[in-house]
Amino acid sequence: MFASRRGALAALLLLCCCCFAPNAAVADLADKLRDDSELSQGTAKTFRRIMPVRFYSLLEQNPVANATLALRSCTIFVPTNEAFQRYKGTAQVLYHMTTAAFSQSQLKTSVTSDMEGNPPLYITNGRNGDIYVNNARIIPSLSVELTNREGKRQVMHIIDEVLEPLTAKSSSTEMNNMDAMQFMRVADQLNLGNRTLRTYRTQVTMAKKESLFESPGFHTFLVPIDEGFKHSTRSGLVDAKVIDGHVIPNTVIFTAASEHDEPKTSAAFEDQIKVTVSFFKQKDGKMYVKSNTFLGDAKHKEGVVLAEIVKANIPIKNGVVHLIHRPLMIIDTTVTQFLQFLTDNGENGALRKFYEVIMDAGGGVLEGINNLSEVTILAPSNEAWNISSIDNIVRDRKKMTDILNMHIIKDRLNVEKIRQKNANLIAQVPTVNNRTFLYFNVRGEGADTVVTVEGGGVNATVLQADVAQTNGFVHIIDRVLGVPHTTVLGKLQTDPMMSDTYRMGQFSHFNDQLNNTLRRYTYFVPRDKAWQKTELDYPSAHKKLFMRDFYYHSKNLLERHLVIADHAYTMKELVQMSLTDTVVLQTFRDSLKVKIEEEAGHLHDEYASHEWTEYVILWNYKKINVYRPDVECTNGIIHVIDAPLLEEKDIVVSGGSYLPESSICIMLANLIMITVAKFLN
């Protein structure tokens, strides 16, 4: 028996050696392993690197594992040394073995482990070609096969995590290969930390949904812990449909193998109600799951509900269980309660920093949110606050209050409503900071939808949209609005509304100067729709302005729009300067003579009535609307305007004058009429 054990372990050592000598003959290596001390030393180093002494020791002490290696075909999943260093428990050796040999290509859906009760190991094929066993990734280049002395085929796969089975607190607890319902019934006896599941289990029983959790197959179960039912009425909202929304049928999802923010159909998906579930990971490593009820009813409101996964990847007979900190689908908190709850949920709550800044700014901001019957919050993630330019602003309570108010909208705005506003050309959304607007851009459909928002010169991407609350929505964004973090050039490069001006400036390298942080620029930038209108009026001239061969003309035109001074001018300052006389601004080439006027703007739509201040530029007997004033950058200010500062000489290209085609048609008609009149006379 001792010789057999040593032979089995030698075979396992040989597997480790073969990881680094895949082209060597197996039999020769076996002899070399015993006889060549130099190779043995090299192998020992390799062994220590790939399979740590701790796992080897456990294997050596397990007679079943030794017998399997000596006499039978098998597959063994060996954790790396780093994986063992991270793991705090005691590894179950037989849970890492199965008595059949499976190469990577032969691993399908699940395999049966050798652990008592033969619990399954679940196989997931990732999009990028990675293969996962439960939550552990197989390192593809280190898998090897050999035949042992009994002629049995054996395979070893190196994995990046220790496989952790479901275990009990006491060794006296009988551990069968249990399904999800059995798991919930004995949860108090299992190693789940201090988490209990009594409330949710009771609701499942009352709703007569036990069969859903007992169903054979491969499913993902999301189970809320008792801590998530502190809200006094929440448990009563857990009905059969809500329970269905916590189950992803016919799919086993472990977190490491999960596709980021990829919606999966839940069991609550039918004609009257449709709910998807997806997983996503924050930069701090915390895993979340979200339900999206995109077709609801009177009891089940539409919107997204987030829940943190507090214990992930619990393998069971019919799939995997993830314990979550609150139930999905249930919308029963206000926006303020949602922010408070995420903050109270530990130091790394998803919006902890945002809430802390709100509280540090004084009670006014939070009180303002509480007083709104309908509200949408654009909440910067924790990572969004990690930029140096914010530090000084946070200390300025008044400035910080203005910035926070820029993130608050007095309306219920989900992505679909934002899309409708954009379709109706109502792109400006006022905030509770009466001097600022937000500008949304929605691209793509369904899971490919990308929403960006601009406010105070900052473009932010919505990381998580439509988190529904009883009085509105929260959208989690990746930047703090109103805190400039890029130069004028950076803003032009990234803002979809200014892409044509940026492209024109690239032809002559005009844009290069805009990255200079030692200068202060005031740049009047025509938005893309302004250039589109120019194309209608002067199609030939427009075409040449956007051709590289005519860069000189486009450069001259842009130079008129760029003011260079010791100071960048806000619209408010230009209005004050215009009260006494025409404002003369030194541009790159010459000077720009303008007057700026204020007008009252009004918007009445089906959702609300809004008022704000609009600015108009009076230049060369033209009135040009300022579409977006005061877009702050680190080295200046951009004012987005509705028409270029275009003179007639600007549209003379290569000796030709380009008039609007409508004017040409009128001239031709007049010429024809004169010719006909002369002929008749």
Side-chain angles (χ1 to χ4, degrees), residues 305-459:
V305 174
L306 299 182
E308 183 187 345
I309 299 176
V310 294
K311 185 168 179 59
N313 308 315
I314 305 169
I316 51 173
K317 180 180 180 180
N318 57 344
V320 62
V321 170
H322 303 284
L323 303 186
I324 56 179
H325 88 275
R326 59 148 296 160
L328 302 172
M329 287 182 62
I330 295 174
I331 301 169
D332 61 350
T333 57
T334 65
V335 166
T336 302
Q337 289 170 332
F338 171 76
L339 295 175
Q340 289 171 332
F341 188 84
L342 282 187
T343 303
D344 293 341
N345 194 36
E347 291 185 0
N348 294 317
L351 301 176
R352 171 185 56 82
K353 184 62 178 177
F354 179 55
Y355 187 75
E356 286 178 357
V357 173
I358 289 176
M359 299 308 293
D360 290 344
V365 176
L366 193 62
E367 183 179 350
I369 296 174
N370 287 331
N371 290 338
L372 295 174
S373 58
E374 294 190 332
V375 61
T376 298
I377 303 290
L378 296 163
S381 66
N382 289 335
E383 293 75 19
W385 297 91
N386 295 332
I387 59 174
S388 57
S389 55
I390 290 180
D391 294 340
N392 291 331
I393 298 174
V394 168
R395 299 186 188 100
D396 185 337
R397 181 171 290 189
K398 184 180 184 306
K399 176 70 172 174
M400 199 66 241
T401 298
D402 288 342
I403 288 174
L404 290 171
N405 284 333
M406 192 183 298
H407 295 75
I408 305 169
I409 301 168
K410 293 186 286 187
D411 195 1
R412 296 174 65 96
L413 279 183
N414 59 8
V415 170
E416 188 55 37
K417 198 167 177 182
I418 293 169
R419 194 191 297 274
Q420 292 170 11
K421 283 180 173 287
N422 283 358
N424 295 332
L425 302 180
I426 308 171
Q428 293 180 323
V429 177
T431 68
V432 297
N433 183 339
N434 293 325
R435 299 188 303 276
T436 59
F437 288 82
L438 302 180
Y439 304 86
F440 287 92
N441 188 36
V442 183
R443 304 190 304 273
E445 298 285 343
D448 297 324
T449 298
V450 177
V451 182
T452 58
V453 57
E454 197 274 349
V458 175
N459 272 88

Side-chain angles (χ1 to χ4, degrees), residues 456-457 484-489 491-492 631-638:
H485 62 92
T486 186
T487 63
V488 170
L489 176 59
K491 185 61 178 171
L492 286 177
V631 178
E632 292 188 46
C633 305
T634 55
N635 61 343
I637 294 176
I638 292 173

Side-chain angles (χ1 to χ4, degrees), residues 583-603:
V583 180
V584 180
L585 301 171
Q586 188 64 44
T587 63
F588 188 88
R589 173 175 289 272
D590 198 354
S591 60
L592 179 64
K593 298 178 180 180
V594 295
K595 291 196 75 169
I596 311 297
E597 293 183 349
E598 281 183 317
E599 295 181 355
H602 301 276
L603 171 64

Side-chain angles (χ1 to χ4, degrees), residues 30 115 187 204 206 228 271 279 312 335 341 376 419 422 465 487 492 495 518 527 598 667:
M115 188 175 169
V204 169
M206 290 175 61
D271 291 341
F279 291 73
V335 166
F341 188 84
T376 298
R419 194 191 297 274
N422 283 358
T487 63
L492 286 177
D495 195 299
L518 300 179
R527 63 178 177 138
E598 281 183 317
M667 292 171 64

Side-chain angles (χ1 to χ4, degrees), residues 200 212 222 224 234 237-247 266 268 273 275 299-300 327-330:
Y200 188 69
L212 178 64
L222 303 161
R234 181 170 286 174
L237 299 175
V238 179
D239 60 9
K241 295 302 179 190
V242 170
I243 292 169
D244 287 343
H246 286 73
V247 179
S266 76
I273 187 168
V275 181
K299 189 172 182 181
H300 308 95
L328 302 172
M329 287 182 62
I330 295 174

